[in-house]
Amino acid sequence: MKRTILALTCLSAVSLAALAADNEKTKPDNTATNERDRSGETQTSGDQSNSSADLKITQAIRQALMKDSELSTTAKNVKIITNNGHVTLRGPVKTAQEKAKIDQLAKSAAAAPILTINWTLKDQIN
């Protein structure tokens, strides 16, 4: 009985150590992204204007993205930031084709010039 309890205790300790090591490996390092966003040179969601014209542009783009059944969920969740009629799109997309499709939809949905487009292409998962 003592051997069984000892074996279970050792097995539990090894499992916990392996789990802790796994968690350490999977922690993302987004320090560079955070520094970029704090610099003030990059538009973030906090820069979204509350004017009715800007909100309408943002809404029109979001609706256009949501209606397109070919876009992935990731693509439909890009950030849309509108400030004084200027639109910034940010976020990961799966492919360059998806990025081009979002650009096209945003330009056709917004009756405003899109001056800034920031993208992060997400690595393909095989």
Side-chain angles (χ1 to χ4, degrees), residues 72-78 90-99 102 118-126:
S72 69
T73 303
T74 302
K76 290 180 180 184
N77 285 320
V78 298
R90 293 188 60 196
V93 294
K94 291 187 176 185
T95 65
Q97 292 80 13
E98 216 171 41
K99 176 185 170 284
I102 293 170
N118 297 314
W119 290 104
T120 303
L121 285 174
K122 184 177 180 181
D123 293 335
Q124 291 289 330
I125 299 173
N126 295 329

Side-chain angles (χ1 to χ4, degrees), residues 26-120:
T26 59
K27 289 182 181 177
D29 181 13
N30 59 355
T31 304
T33 302
N34 291 340
E35 287 175 5
R36 177 197 68 206
D37 289 350
R38 280 190 216 110
S39 72
E41 297 173 14
T42 306
Q43 295 285 314
T44 63
S45 58
D47 296 314
Q48 170 68 42
S49 167
N50 285 325
S51 75
S52 62
D54 286 341
L55 291 175
K56 285 180 184 178
I57 292 169
T58 301
Q59 181 182 21
I61 295 171
R62 178 68 64 205
Q63 287 174 344
L65 296 180
M66 297 307 288
K67 285 181 185 176
D68 193 307
S69 61
E70 295 177 6
L71 293 175
S72 69
T73 303
T74 302
K76 290 180 180 184
N77 285 320
V78 298
K79 292 177 184 73
I80 305 166
I81 305 157
T82 309
N83 195 347
N84 295 323
H86 302 293
V87 178
T88 299
L89 303 173
R90 293 188 60 196
V93 294
K94 291 187 176 185
T95 65
Q97 292 80 13
E98 216 171 41
K99 176 185 170 284
K101 179 76 170 183
I102 293 170
D103 285 347
Q104 173 197 1
L105 289 170
K107 287 175 183 174
S108 64
I114 297 178
L115 294 181
T116 311
I117 301 176
N118 297 314
W119 290 104
T120 303

